[in-house]
Amino acid sequence: RVILATRSARRGEAAASRIRRETGNNEVLFMHLDLASLRSVRAFASTFLRQEPQLHLLINNAGVSAGGTTEDGFSLPFQVNHLGHFLLTQLLLERLRSCAPSRVVIVASSAHCAGRLRPESLGRPPSGLFSTFQDYCDSKLANVLHARELATREQGTQVTCYAVHPGFVNTALFRHAPPWLKPLLLPLAWLLFLDASEGAQAV
């Protein structure tokens, strides 16, 4: 039984339908989740816990590379890539423990190597010429640190946690990139990046 938790109902329902059709597994369902809204994260978790008695695998995979500020006052990349996933994991952690052995997979990136987390301005967009790239890298560093700390805290519970770098994948990751940057990024993505099915193999 697989729950596709996505922001777009149209795309989520279409993906679930295609997977059911291609695999013959009718236990593939869509549920709405917008990681750019902590209210939506809490609503999803509440609905999931009420409807689904089992949870053995949580994959935190959504990501954006740039954007504005969310309704919660955080930069869009930092909230979607990290804070929303962090909150979701915490809200579902007890269910993961009760269904152990279980695991959490956090889709991070080797871009975490360029991340710098500043506690006094955590979640706010960094300044500077490359602030968009820095914001993304910071969120990916937060992913890796989250995975490491969660793995440490869950030792002995049979809940295991992993951060994975899927490679450079040609998805809609750059849809919020500044207009001046897109002509540079998009041809590069088409020429050199993995396609989505190749990127999914690491996960």
Side-chain angles (χ1 to χ4, degrees):
R1 186 170 174 85
V2 179
I3 306 297
L4 300 182
T6 68
R7 178 175 53 89
S8 166
R10 180 182 60 81
R11 294 173 63 200
E13 291 281 16
S17 176
R18 182 165 57 89
I19 294 169
R20 288 194 299 266
R21 186 173 63 253
E22 292 181 4
T23 65
N25 177 15
N26 289 322
E27 295 294 310
V28 179
L29 309 172
F30 160 79
M31 285 179 64
H32 179 261
L33 170 62
D34 183 358
L35 291 160
S37 165
L38 298 182
R39 180 170 40 84
S40 175
V41 174
R42 293 183 187 279
F44 169 85
S46 176
T47 301
F48 178 91
L49 292 171
R50 188 170 62 251
Q51 295 180 357
E52 301 292 332
Q54 299 291 319
L55 178 59
H56 299 278
L57 171 63
L58 173 63
I59 300 175
N60 291 326
N61 183 49
V64 296
S65 63
T69 302
T70 68
E71 65 184 45
D72 302 293
F74 300 104
S75 83
L76 184 69
F78 199 81
Q79 180 162 333
V80 170
N81 299 354
H82 174 62
L83 292 175
H85 286 144
F86 179 90
L87 177 60
L88 179 64
T89 303
Q90 289 302 116
L91 293 172
L92 299 181
L93 191 53
E94 195 52 50
R95 182 62 52 84
L96 285 160
R97 287 172 181 154
S98 69
C99 295
S102 56
R103 67 178 60 187
V104 178
V105 177
I106 298 172
V107 180
S109 167
S110 60
H112 81 271
C113 295
R116 297 191 310 269
L117 296 181
R118 298 162 297 278
E120 70 281 357
S121 59
L122 200 63
R124 293 200 299 272
S127 57
L129 182 60
F130 297 103
S131 60
T132 297
F133 178 69
Q134 189 64 55
D135 203 12
Y136 178 77
C137 294
D138 293 352
S139 72
K140 295 290 112 181
L141 175 57
N143 286 162
V144 172
L145 294 176
H146 179 204
R148 287 192 59 164
E149 182 63 20
L150 187 61
T152 299
R153 293 189 182 204
E154 294 304 306
Q155 283 183 344
T157 67
Q158 288 193 294
V159 177
T160 52
C161 186
Y162 307 88
V164 59
H165 170 55
F168 297 100
V169 185
N170 185 17
T171 64
L173 180 67
F174 300 113
R175 65 186 177 275
H176 296 297
W180 63 269
L181 194 55
K182 285 184 179 181
L184 299 173
L185 289 173
L186 297 181
L188 194 66
W190 282 108
L191 286 170
L192 301 177
F193 287 17
L194 302 172
D195 67 31
S197 61
E198 292 171 320
Q201 297 307 307
V203 179

